[in-house]
Amino acid sequence: MSLSALSLSALGHHVQTPGYDRTQHTPGVLHLGLGAFHRAHQAMVFDQLLACGDTRWGIHGVAMTRPDLVNLLRAQDGLYAVRVADDQGLRWQVPGALWRMSVATTERDAVVQAIASPSTRWVTLTVTEKGYTPPLGQLLTEGLRLRHQAGLSGITIASCDNLQGNGHKLQALVHAQIATHEHSVQDADFLCWLDAHCAFPSSMVDRIVPAATAEVMAAAQEALGRADHCALSTEGFWEWVIEDRLADPADAALLRSAGVRVTGDVHSYEEAKLRLLNGSHTAMALIGAVTGRPFIASCIGVPHIRSFVHRLMSREVAPHLARSDWADYRDALIARFGNPYLKHSVHQIATDSSQKIPQRWPASIWGQIAQGASFEHHALAAAVYVRYTLGVDEQAQAYALNDPQAASLLAMGAAQRSEPEACVRALLALENLWGKALPKHAAWTARVTHWHQRVMTHGVDQAIQQLLEQEA
Ligand code: CS2
């Protein structure tokens, strides 16, 4: 028998389970993007609030495209185990906040209706960087319009994706959607209601949650004494910083009581997280993919890669951050990257790199350029990205490029053995990756070309070692 509501009470005491009723109330949160991250991060925060007796935090979780996951979760009554591992040890928890599940592509109407449900107070989103498209704006707008027509209260719509100013981006998407309509009196009313009563706070969320693996399922089977097809593994650390701009201002104190930081200044947290954590994640993911190291922990465990990441953060990222406690943050990150339980696949992180790099690297490169300082670490990382588009690692193992731009990236990268400089130029010319001005920056192009040549002739590891010696 698999994990389910019925089998919950039979789990051993070493597994933390929800002690509250999961059936009496309708969900107060609609979450779009029911991936591993949400289930091991926000769902666990809401689980805490539910455990305190506040019944408004049950989740209606929406997978944007994946019926397989929703089917598995439905068969388990929305329950799944999370293994939390850090240097304090291992613990298992079954959060109980996921009450309902839908698939956006096939059950769109249910999602629209849920946005307009009187019990809904929050919509949260983790739809990935590439999810911020007009259809998302349309989905939200339809639901919000129904709410307005029904005379319901406004809600908080919180983007939790790795995008700087994610709340503003989401609000702009909804506004753009409304602007495509013919302008009527109803539209003007709706817009007034939206701006006055709905809130789009920006937020920074952080917890390393690798995609589920067979190894974690097997560990769950052992810990629970039954199968769990939705089990996840994560670290002890988590952080959620959200802008103090909530539709119901009383939510701020509640979220704080669960450990969330509600603040006027999300920007400095977002910036530090995107550039230090995600920026070095992307660099390591590409290094790992090209050198054939499968996990982030296997990369950070190599002394020269660790030094490279340490210097990338200290010398090229940190000088441009508003957050002053960056040295502690960096050290904590390096320890988190090394967590042996996480098995965070480099190919998972390298997925959608064309959508991620713009958030993670260019601001630091520009910071260095503005100060006349070296951007060699970023240039080497960019060179490894070019090498990555060959689709085959240094051990001649082929890998897939999972990226919305995969076809054109592979086409551009294919000739890099015969025409390396032209390839580097073509990949660096992509304004949607690097912005408008960087492609025209001669010294940037020259340094990436230099490191690409080193990578092609000596391999990534030697190139990194050369860089470390050169910049000692
Ligand atoms: C990672 C993030 O896959 C990726 O792009 O960099 O998912 C990262 O693990 C999280 O943002 C950590 O909070």
Side-chain angles (χ1 to χ4, degrees):
M1 196 167 75
S2 308
L3 178 64
S4 68
L6 262 182
S7 63
L8 206 51
S9 58
L11 296 180
H13 290 297
H14 62 290
V15 183
Q16 188 185 330
T17 53
Y20 49 87
D21 185 88
R22 302 176 65 244
T23 57
Q24 291 299 307
H25 303 275
T26 36
V29 180
L30 180 80
H31 181 78
L32 303 179
L34 190 54
F37 181 82
H38 172 72
R39 288 187 289 130
H41 184 283
Q42 287 166 317
M44 296 179 83
V45 178
F46 297 149
D47 177 71
Q48 270 190 67
L49 292 170
L50 289 163
C52 294
D54 189 339
T55 55
R56 299 173 302 169
W57 301 94
I59 303 164
H60 179 164
V62 179
M64 300 313 280
T65 54
R66 287 183 57 188
D68 55 336
L69 176 66
V70 165
N71 291 337
L72 290 172
L73 283 165
R74 279 182 179 150
Q76 297 189 179
D77 302 315
L79 295 168
Y80 53 92
V82 181
R83 183 182 70 186
V84 182
D86 53 26
D87 49 15
Q88 310 293 306
L90 275 188
R91 64 182 188 86
W92 285 90
Q93 183 179 347
V94 176
L98 189 58
W99 292 356
R100 232 178 247 179
M101 283 74 63
S102 299
V103 185
T105 39
T106 53
E107 297 162 320
R108 189 173 186 280
D109 196 47
V111 178
V112 172
Q113 294 299 332
I115 299 173
S117 157
S119 63
T120 299
R121 302 172 64 250
W122 279 65
V123 174
T124 51
L125 296 94
T126 49
V127 294
T128 80
E129 294 85 347
K130 63 173 182 272
Y132 288 71
T133 56
L136 175 67
Q138 197 174 358
L139 180 75
L140 290 169
T141 307
E142 268 176 53
L144 291 166
R145 196 185 287 278
L146 284 183
R147 270 197 97 79
H148 172 240
Q149 283 163 358
L152 294 172
S153 58
I155 56 173
T156 298
I157 303 131
S159 164
C160 303
D161 281 295
N162 286 325
L163 297 162
Q164 184 96 49
N166 49 18
H168 302 282
K169 292 206 164 94
L170 188 60
Q171 184 172 28
L173 206 59
V174 170
H175 276 171
Q177 186 59 40
I178 298 171
T180 61
H181 260 248
E182 275 176 42
H183 292 288
S184 62
V185 179
Q186 287 94 324
D187 273 338
D189 272 2
F190 172 46
L191 199 54
C192 275
W193 171 84
L194 186 74
D195 289 344
H197 300 290
C198 290
F200 290 84
S202 284
S203 78
M204 179 278 256
V205 287
D206 186 8
R207 187 170 220 180
I208 295 176
V209 189
T213 59
E215 184 232 301
V216 174
M217 314 262 175
Q221 165 94 46
E222 192 154 318
L224 308 178
R226 53 191 26 71
D228 176 355
H229 304 289
C230 307
L232 295 171
S233 128
T234 189
E235 57 181 343
F237 179 91
W238 68 271
E239 197 173 20
W240 184 3
V241 184
I242 185 162
E243 205 175 357
D244 195 357
R245 207 148 59 89
L246 309 177
D248 180 350
D251 286 346
L254 281 175
L255 289 175
R256 283 189 187 115
S257 73
V260 178
R261 189 188 296 260
V262 187
T263 167
D265 166 39
V266 183
H267 184 86
S268 63
Y269 291 92
E270 285 178 328
E271 179 189 82
K273 194 246 170 180
L274 284 168
R275 300 188 203 166
L276 285 173
L277 189 163
N278 299 115
S280 44
H281 243 180
T282 291
M284 279 185 287
L286 298 168
I287 290 170
V290 171
T291 58
R293 296 185 176 96
F295 304 118
I296 288 295
S298 26
C299 294
I300 202 74
V302 177
H304 61 264
I305 301 181
R306 176 190 284 260
S307 301
F308 172 81
V309 170
H310 189 279
R311 288 194 196 179
L312 175 91
M313 294 203 260
S314 317
R315 299 184 184 185
E316 298 187 16
V317 182
H320 318 292
L321 298 175
R323 198 167 157 171
S324 55
D325 60 348
W326 61 264
D328 292 342
Y329 190 55
R330 173 202 59 202
D331 295 345
L333 280 178
I334 290 184
R336 289 170 64 197
F337 293 152
N339 188 325
Y341 287 96
L342 291 181
K343 303 265 188 299
H344 203 184
S345 151
V346 293
H347 284 286
Q348 184 195 339
I349 301 170
T351 296
D352 292 351
S353 285
S354 74
Q355 313 290 301
K356 294 175 176 176
I357 286 172
Q359 318 292 331
R360 302 181 179 198
W361 292 352
S364 303
I365 300 165
W366 277 115
Q368 293 293 92
I369 291 174
Q371 292 184 355
S374 156
F375 44 73
E376 291 289 273
H377 294 75
H378 279 91
L380 174 50
V384 178
Y385 180 56
V386 177
R387 170 63 184 75
Y388 169 75
T389 64
L390 259 184
V392 54
D393 72 16
E394 291 177 345
Q395 277 73 48
Q397 294 291 317
Y399 51 79
L401 246 68
N402 290 316
D403 194 291
Q405 297 191 55
S408 62
L409 292 170
L410 285 166
M412 274 183 238
Q416 64 187 285
R417 291 194 207 278
S418 52
E419 292 174 70
E421 292 189 19
C423 268
V424 172
R425 268 201 308 278
L427 275 146
L428 290 187
L430 297 171
E431 289 183 2
N432 59 5
L433 260 103
W434 310 103
K436 273 200 180 334
L438 211 46
K440 301 189 187 77
H441 199 276
W444 165 250
T445 309
R447 294 316 293 163
V448 180
T449 307
H450 167 83
W451 287 114
H452 180 257
Q453 194 254 333
R454 291 295 154 105
V455 162
M456 296 304 282
T457 44
H458 304 287
V460 170
D461 285 314
Q462 274 210 35
I464 294 175
Q465 275 155 345
Q466 282 168 8
L467 170 61
L468 294 178
E469 278 162 30
Q470 170 198 307
E471 298 266 301

